[in-house]
Amino acid sequence: MENLNQHPAIQDKVVVISGASSGIGEAIARHLAKKGAKVVLGARRTDKLEGILKDIESEGGKAAIFALDVTNLNNFREFVSFAEQTFGSIDVLVNNAGVMPLSMINAYKTDEWNQMIDVNIKGVLNGIASALPVFEKKDSGQFINITSVGDRWVGPTSTVYSATKFAVRAISDGLRQEVSHKIRVTIVAPGATESELSNSISDPELKKMADEQFRSNTIPAEAIARAVAFAIEQPEDVDVNELVVRPTAQKAY
Ligand code: NDP
């Protein structure tokens, strides 16, 4: 029977997704697999990846999983090579892995600042360094970098987190200008979305406040997955540069 979810521009594309063990990355993997993509999921929690793989395969989708720490360049290169060996090539890299341990600067959580810089910025750069040689060789490909509304907004406690997302926006804009006219670079900037992200906030009071004030209205992670699919589905000569996707009730930040 014809699968009505499948889309010709996504069908059989090999999509490599970092941070696919929960939240937005998991939703992207599940959604694109339904649309006929071959998805390669990377994250540290391989037990979670195994469960998602089973689900995708039981629904007839094609997927593979890999133990990935985005802060390790060699590991990221191996992830991309694994995807090429498994499915023949790669067409899209979704740089999604991220952490958000919010805190005031004068709490001096310097280890958490470094963790955000390592995962949210260096992790994306490691992804670019791993996939760009493949894309340049075949002169096609697409980077989709999951930033945040914090890539253009900063407020108390989000200073370092927003700085990492501002950086990814700058990196994406620069990358788009430096690569061939046939390589696409997309930013998808989510607002408050259902996921495990606030678990990385180490201050319990702050986590409670973030969950109650900022995260009381969330959209399902599937909403971000649909935005990612939209960017992939466009004809190859159309590069969706930026999509900001927030809950309707979230008017700013
Ligand atoms: P989750 O915490 O649910 O998912 C984060 C993912 O990143 C997990 O799969 C985690 O996997 C992975 N990850 C973290 N560190 C590493 C690492 N060192 N190496 C590999 N993977 C890692 O949160 P979200 O789904 O919300 O987050 C996804 C992205 O969306 C992030 O970039 C986040 O900043 C962004 N975002 C989310 C918003 C929201 O409201 N949810 C709003 C704006 C942006 P594991 O721990 O298994 O390695």
Side-chain angles (χ1 to χ4, degrees):
M1 199 173 78
E2 189 191 0
N3 182 342
L4 296 176
N5 285 315
Q6 288 184 352
H7 190 286
I10 291 188
Q11 177 84 38
D12 291 331
K13 274 203 169 159
V14 180
V15 183
V16 177
I17 306 155
S18 74
S21 57
S22 62
I24 292 171
E26 173 183 351
I28 293 169
R30 290 181 186 274
H31 186 70
L32 296 181
K34 281 195 187 122
K35 285 185 164 263
K38 298 168 181 167
V39 291
V40 187
L41 296 78
R44 293 165 305 172
R45 290 172 297 171
T46 48
D47 53 330
K48 292 242 180 199
L49 294 180
E50 275 162 18
I52 301 164
L53 174 68
K54 269 193 196 140
D55 287 352
I56 291 175
E57 287 183 335
S58 71
E59 290 173 13
K62 295 197 179 93
I65 59 170
F66 191 87
L68 170 71
D69 183 340
V70 296
T71 65
N72 181 322
L73 175 58
N74 281 337
N75 190 208
F76 216 133
R77 286 188 171 135
E78 286 162 5
F79 178 42
V80 168
S81 298
F82 167 77
E84 286 184 286
Q85 280 157 22
T86 307
F87 291 126
S89 186
I90 72 163
D91 299 299
V92 182
L93 169 64
V94 184
N95 273 314
N96 166 75
V99 290
M100 188 192 68
L102 302 175
S103 66
M104 298 290 277
I105 290 285
N106 65 4
Y108 305 111
K109 296 195 178 230
T110 53
D111 288 346
E112 293 182 357
W113 304 348
N114 287 330
Q115 187 200 6
M116 282 189 274
I117 290 165
D118 286 346
V119 176
N120 300 1
I121 304 180
K122 291 186 191 168
V124 170
L125 288 170
N126 288 340
I128 293 168
S130 304
L132 185 56
V134 182
F135 292 167
E136 293 210 302
K137 201 167 172 196
K138 61 179 198 160
D139 201 17
S140 74
Q142 183 170 18
F143 292 99
I144 302 186
N145 296 333
I146 308 298
T147 57
S148 162
V149 289
D151 72 2
R152 63 202 65 208
W153 173 89
V154 60
T157 75
S158 90
T159 306
V160 178
Y161 178 71
S162 290
T164 65
K165 296 300 187 174
F166 271 65
V168 175
R169 193 167 171 214
I171 290 163
S172 306
D173 282 344
L175 177 66
R176 186 180 305 110
Q177 295 167 61
E178 290 185 19
V179 294
S180 135
H181 290 183
K182 293 189 175 168
I183 296 175
R184 305 192 287 183
V185 182
T186 301
I187 298 169
V188 176
T193 305
E194 283 165 24
S195 78
E196 298 179 8
L197 194 64
S198 71
N199 291 349
S200 58
I201 304 173
S202 59
D203 178 338
E205 284 299 303
L206 197 55
K207 173 169 164 35
K208 192 164 173 277
M209 195 194 78
D211 285 339
E212 285 173 2
Q213 289 183 13
F214 297 104
R215 305 182 66 75
S216 53
N217 281 301
T218 49
I219 47 175
E222 164 87 17
I224 308 304
R226 289 196 300 271
V228 167
F230 174 80
I232 299 174
E233 277 167 12
Q234 301 311 304
E236 290 295 326
D237 62 346
V238 177
D239 187 355
V240 177
N241 292 177
E242 288 189 23
L243 286 167
V244 181
V245 184
R246 297 186 170 102
T248 308
Q250 184 184 349
K251 299 299 183 189
Y253 63 78

